Amino acid sequence: MHALKADTHRKFGYTAPRLALKGALLDPAFRVLAVLRLCQAAQQLPPNWRWLAVWPARLLYRLVSQLAGIEIPWRTEIAPGLALTHGRGIVVNAGARIGRNVTLFHGVTLGQRDHIDAQGRRHTLYPVIEDEVWIGPHAIIVGGVTVGKGSRIAGGAYVFEDVPPYCVVLGNPGQIVRRDCTPDVQNRYSEEDIPVARDSHPAARADAHINAG
């Protein structure tokens, strides 16, 4: 469950089982993420155990997703360290791919885009969100586009073309308004070293950081 440890670090700045439990109990968006990781972990179990774990996890995931108003298929390829800020209204297509330390705000859509070629064949493409991308409220990213590492997509932007790394995109249609920007990643986690919260550390008492959505 390394991915859940990384997600917990993104939320609290530290990681510990009790912090993950606290987030799952009190934050609907984090609850969705925690159960999504549970589904993915269950899928990796040996065959004799998988069928016992996957179906209850999927049923629980459907319930918590509906209650939170978030649509992210549990099979979606999501790297560790995802942060769902507020969360309600997020819609992600199962074909999308999300990198490390990505931040999604409420109302974000990562959707497919269909293209019909001259022979009448349908081609369906999905977005790729690279590491450390920040996507603001109600932004829409569709089709086979890649949003480069460290870029920021402003709230309400509509993106249907590739975004180079470290760019700020604004508007509908989305336009690059700044290059060489600094990534906006709160509580960035490291693959090699995820700090562990201790009772004596002030950050371990993270009640104030919980957003009930």
Side-chain angles (χ1 to χ4, degrees):
M1 295 291 280
H2 172 76
L4 181 57
K5 291 180 180 179
D7 302 335
T8 304
H9 179 74
R10 286 297 315 281
K11 181 169 182 60
F12 296 102
Y14 288 84
T15 185
R18 59 187 175 77
L19 290 179
L21 179 61
K22 182 183 290 186
L25 290 174
L26 301 180
D27 185 332
F30 188 86
R31 185 182 307 136
V32 168
L33 189 53
V35 181
L36 181 146
R37 300 300 191 188
L38 177 64
C39 289
Q40 294 177 341
Q43 185 66 23
Q44 300 304 314
L45 292 173
N48 290 341
W49 293 99
R50 185 182 307 155
W51 69 275
L52 287 173
V54 168
W55 288 104
R58 289 179 62 180
L59 289 173
L60 178 61
Y61 185 66
R62 177 172 294 187
L63 174 62
V64 299
S65 297
Q66 290 178 347
L67 291 175
I70 296 174
E71 297 183 30
I72 305 177
W74 69 272
R75 292 183 181 273
T76 306
E77 185 178 334
I78 303 174
L82 179 63
L84 303 180
T85 302
H86 301 299
R88 187 165 291 276
I90 291 176
V91 178
V92 176
N93 190 285
R97 287 186 289 152
I98 300 175
R100 292 180 172 84
N101 287 320
V102 168
T103 303
L104 304 181
F105 275 73
H106 53 283
V108 165
T109 296
L110 306 179
Q112 72 182 48
R113 188 179 184 187
D114 293 345
H115 167 69
I116 309 298
D117 64 21
Q119 288 72 41
R121 293 172 298 190
R122 180 181 298 273
H123 303 272
T124 302
L125 302 173
Y126 309 95
V128 174
I129 310 301
E130 294 188 345
D131 297 348
E132 300 186 358
V133 171
W134 184 99
I135 305 178
H138 303 288
I140 298 174
I141 302 173
V142 295
V145 303
T146 297
V147 179
K149 181 178 179 178
S151 288
R152 288 186 262 167
I153 310 300
Y158 181 82
V159 179
F160 58 91
E161 295 181 343
D162 288 346
V163 177
Y166 306 108
C167 289
V168 176
V169 176
L170 177 68
N172 182 359
Q175 301 291 328
I176 296 173
V177 297
R178 182 180 174 185
R179 297 179 184 270
D180 298 321
C181 73
T182 301
D184 186 346
V185 182
Q186 185 176 12
N187 297 332
R188 180 186 280 104
Y189 94 96
S190 168
E191 185 72 36
E192 293 78 20
D193 181 22
I194 299 178
V196 177
R198 299 182 184 277
D199 291 341
S200 58
H201 198 293
R205 297 186 295 273
D207 296 6
H209 293 281
I210 295 177
N211 186 329

